[in-house]
């Protein structure tokens, strides 16, 4: 591995890591990222073990929406955990977390907590199958719903195919994969095969593999056709939740799902995820008809962090600030690239957008995104890292409540250097 000057301690740690941790990383998503080891994060900043600083636009893949180490969340977690961390039984903070979540979301009456988005997507699918007695579900090209056998699909458009060795191909037999943003196709599929389909599962704004907003009327149209055919609409709001608005994409686009999965931004960086829905569906867990379990579900720290984060989002909403800083960043990065005659394309939301190289114009589907020059962008991401801007090689930029004018200014200086020769 090439040692970048000023990253010698990281290189030594990496040499140790690869001996004991496969690939040196604990998630395959990190395999293509620079092997830097961080020792501190504060606000919008990260510091590596060699003392280099970075303006952070990865936010831990999204959870650090309030910035790193947000004081109110730290205090709440510390105070609560001093009285015990996990009871495997009920405690007041989990009730408060559930009440606040339902209040904030508006459309949901009950929640179950877990630790990861992956597992809560599974709970949503199981519940949808139990409620409808149907097994198939519709999903969309390029939408990510976790790494388990029945949802992990290879990136090429078309029928669901395994993305990993060891993945059971038959676990994907129940998936109907459609291109995103084609309402007629969803309507046709549900009208023809609705009695076999339990749910339509989607990122309500596509953000994992590229930022593509729903076309105007698309979510409302899917909502309507789901209602008409008795198919449940499941929003995977793991990225959009608490980020595109306090009530996530459902609030931002004014369309309520039947079930929704949350994670990442909901607890200031603490590992928490949730499934939310109406009592008529969710009570199937309470009646023992549908199983959902987990030793660490709603543990004290997870519950305390959720309550403190939701409190912050309600009392000091960061949304207007993030929209302003994020929109400036999108515009000014675009201008920097244009002045260097580079075809950098930026698309998405101020709180979460994607950058890549390619022809100008907005992508509407995953197929459009696949035509872009991802390899060239990955090289730029490496250069940004070397200059002190931490971004994902796959193109997403997350903006937190802690990013301000100073971070913006420094980012643009560093990006200008990185763009030279990109
Ligand atoms: C839209 C979406 N759904 C589900 C997941 C899985 O969540 P987790 O990584 O917490 O298991 C992710 C993770 O990136 C995601 O982006």
């Amino acid at each position: 591995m090439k040692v970048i000057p000023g990253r010698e301690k990281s290189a030594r740690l990496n040499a140790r890591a690869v001996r004991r941790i496969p690939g040196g990383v604990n998630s395959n998503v990190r395999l293509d990222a620079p092997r830097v080891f961080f020792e501190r994060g504060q606000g919008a900043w990260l510091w590596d073990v060699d003392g280099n600083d970075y303006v952070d636009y990865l936010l831990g893949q999204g959870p650090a929406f309030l910035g790193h180490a947000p004081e109110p969340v730290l205090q709440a977690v510390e105070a609560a955990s001093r009285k015990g961390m996990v009871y495997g039984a009920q405690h007041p903070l989990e009730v408060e977390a559930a009440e606040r979540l339902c209040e904030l979301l508006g459309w949901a009456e009950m929640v179950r907590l877990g630790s990861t988005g992956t597992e809560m997507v599974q709970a949503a699918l199981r519940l949808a199958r139990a409620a409808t007695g149907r097994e198939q579900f519709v999903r969309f090209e390029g939408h990510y719903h976790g790494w388990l056998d029945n949802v992990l699909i290879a990136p090429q458009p078309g029928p669901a195919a395994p993305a990993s060795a060891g993945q059971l191909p038959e676990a994907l037999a129940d998936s109907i994969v459609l291109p995103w943003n084609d309402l007629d196709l969803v309507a046709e599929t549900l009208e023809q095969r609705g009695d076999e389909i339990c749910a339509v599962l989607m990122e309500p704004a596509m953000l994992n593999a590229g930022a593509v907003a729903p076309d105007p009327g698309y979510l409302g149209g899917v909502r309507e056709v789901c209602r008409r055919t008795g198919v449940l609409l499941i929003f995977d709001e793991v990225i959009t939740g608490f980020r595109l608005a306090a009530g996530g994409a459902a609030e931002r686009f004014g369309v309520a799902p039947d079930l929704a999965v949350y994670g990442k931004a909901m607890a200031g960086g603490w590992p928490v995820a949730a499934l939310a829905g109406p009592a008529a569906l969710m009570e199937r867990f309470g009646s023992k008809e549908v199983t959902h379990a987990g030793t660490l579900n709603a543990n004290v720290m997870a519950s305390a962090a959720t309550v403190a984060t939701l409190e912050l989002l309600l009392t000091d909403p960061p949304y207007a600030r993030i929209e302003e800083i994020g929109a400036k960043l999108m515009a000014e990065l675009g201008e920097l690239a244009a002045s260097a005659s580079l075809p950098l394309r930026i698309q998405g939301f101020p709180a979460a957008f994607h950058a890549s190289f390619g022809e100008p114009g907005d992508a509407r589907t995953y197929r459009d995104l696949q035509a872009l020059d991802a390899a060239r962008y990955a090289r730029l991401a490496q250069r940004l890292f070397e200059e002190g801007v931490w971004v994902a090689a796959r193109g997403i930029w997350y903006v937190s409540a802690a990013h301000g004018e100073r971070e913006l200014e420094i980012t643009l200086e560093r990006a200008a250097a990185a763009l030279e020769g990109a």
Side-chain angles (χ1 to χ4, degrees):
M1 179 146 310
K2 185 176 128 201
V3 179
I4 302 165
R7 271 87 171 181
E8 289 81 6
K9 281 189 186 166
S10 270
R12 285 199 292 278
L13 271 167
N14 190 53
R16 282 169 56 197
V18 293
R19 281 199 292 273
R20 295 294 181 205
I21 306 171
V25 297
N26 275 297
S27 162
N28 275 28
V29 173
R30 301 176 199 159
L31 280 170
D32 295 330
R35 289 312 157 82
V36 62
F37 287 72
F38 292 110
E39 66 179 8
R40 192 158 72 88
Q42 187 67 54
W45 293 84
L46 289 171
W47 285 266
D48 71 17
V49 288
D50 289 290
N52 300 296
D53 61 43
Y54 303 81
V55 190
D56 181 20
Y57 294 96
L58 187 67
L59 304 185
Q61 297 283 358
F65 179 64
L66 300 173
H68 293 280
E71 196 53 38
V73 178
L74 287 181
Q75 280 178 15
V77 167
E78 192 196 343
S81 59
R82 282 191 178 281
K83 295 188 272 179
M85 297 184 187
V86 61
Y87 306 122
Q90 296 60 251
H91 58 100
L93 276 170
E94 68 181 342
V95 184
E96 204 172 328
E99 286 173 350
R100 282 178 184 234
L101 276 164
C102 291
E103 196 180 312
L104 189 148
L105 297 174
W107 62 272
E109 294 169 330
M110 298 188 116
V111 294
R112 271 286 175 97
L113 294 187
S115 301
T116 67
T118 296
E119 70 188 88
M120 298 322 275
V121 166
Q122 296 301 313
L125 286 172
R126 182 179 284 178
L127 182 57
R129 290 196 169 109
T132 59
R134 306 167 182 173
E135 288 184 359
Q136 310 261 310
F137 68 98
V138 168
R139 56 169 303 173
F140 298 93
E141 289 171 4
H143 291 214
Y144 180 73
H145 302 296
W147 61 277
L148 297 187
D149 277 13
N150 62 343
V151 287
L152 183 69
I153 56 174
Q156 75 269 10
S164 166
Q167 200 180 340
L168 276 179
E170 55 268 36
L172 294 172
D174 293 326
S175 312
I176 302 167
V177 188
L178 301 181
W180 173 240
N181 261 336
D182 186 338
L183 178 57
D184 288 346
L185 201 51
V186 176
E188 196 182 298
T189 308
L190 265 53
E191 273 150 18
Q192 284 173 6
R193 302 171 59 186
D195 56 357
E196 300 163 22
I197 297 171
C198 67
V200 171
L201 170 65
M202 62 160 79
E203 291 182 57
M206 177 174 172
L207 272 164
N208 190 299
V212 183
D215 282 350
Y218 179 67
L219 294 183
V222 175
R223 170 69 286 176
E224 195 279 320
V225 75
C226 281
R227 198 171 280 135
R228 189 151 40 82
T229 51
V231 172
L232 298 178
L233 177 58
I234 306 174
F235 281 176
D236 179 340
E237 294 235 33
V238 169
I239 294 182
T240 52
F242 313 100
R243 191 183 313 274
L244 296 193
E251 177 184 329
R252 182 137 177 168
F253 299 109
V255 174
D258 294 302
L259 292 170
V261 177
Y262 299 91
K264 298 199 193 272
M266 74 178 262
W270 207 267
V272 190
L275 171 63
L281 287 172
M282 297 291 288
E283 274 297 11
R284 288 171 192 265
F285 292 122
S287 71
K288 292 192 179 168
E289 180 195 346
V290 182
T291 299
H292 163 242
T295 304
L296 297 172
N297 291 357
N299 64 72
V300 170
M301 293 80 76
S303 305
T306 301
V307 171
T309 300
L310 299 187
E311 169 84 18
L312 261 177
L313 295 180
L314 286 173
T315 54
D316 182 20
Y319 300 101
R321 277 195 326 267
I322 293 177
E323 288 284 313
E324 190 190 326
I325 292 290
K328 272 194 202 165
L329 178 62
M330 290 169 82
E332 292 183 25
L333 277 175
E335 276 166 31
L336 268 183
S339 63
S341 301
L342 294 169
L344 189 70
R345 292 174 75 271
I346 295 168
Q347 179 175 338
F349 305 89
F353 58 87
H354 267 250
S356 190
F357 285 104
E359 297 297 316
D362 275 352
R364 282 188 58 250
T365 67
Y366 185 52
R367 293 176 194 218
D368 296 339
L369 293 170
Q370 288 200 312
L372 301 173
D373 191 344
R376 188 173 179 189
Y377 181 79
R379 291 195 294 276
L380 174 62
Q382 172 70 25
R383 283 287 301 123
L384 284 163
F385 158 70
E386 289 164 12
E387 295 295 335
V389 179
W390 182 237
V391 291
R394 74 178 198 282
I396 195 160
W397 289 58
Y398 286 114
V399 177
S400 80
H403 286 81
E405 292 291 343
R406 177 169 166 264
E407 284 75 21
L408 182 65
E409 196 181 309
I410 295 170
T411 302
L412 291 169
E413 275 168 30
R414 294 179 179 187
L419 278 164
E420 268 171 38

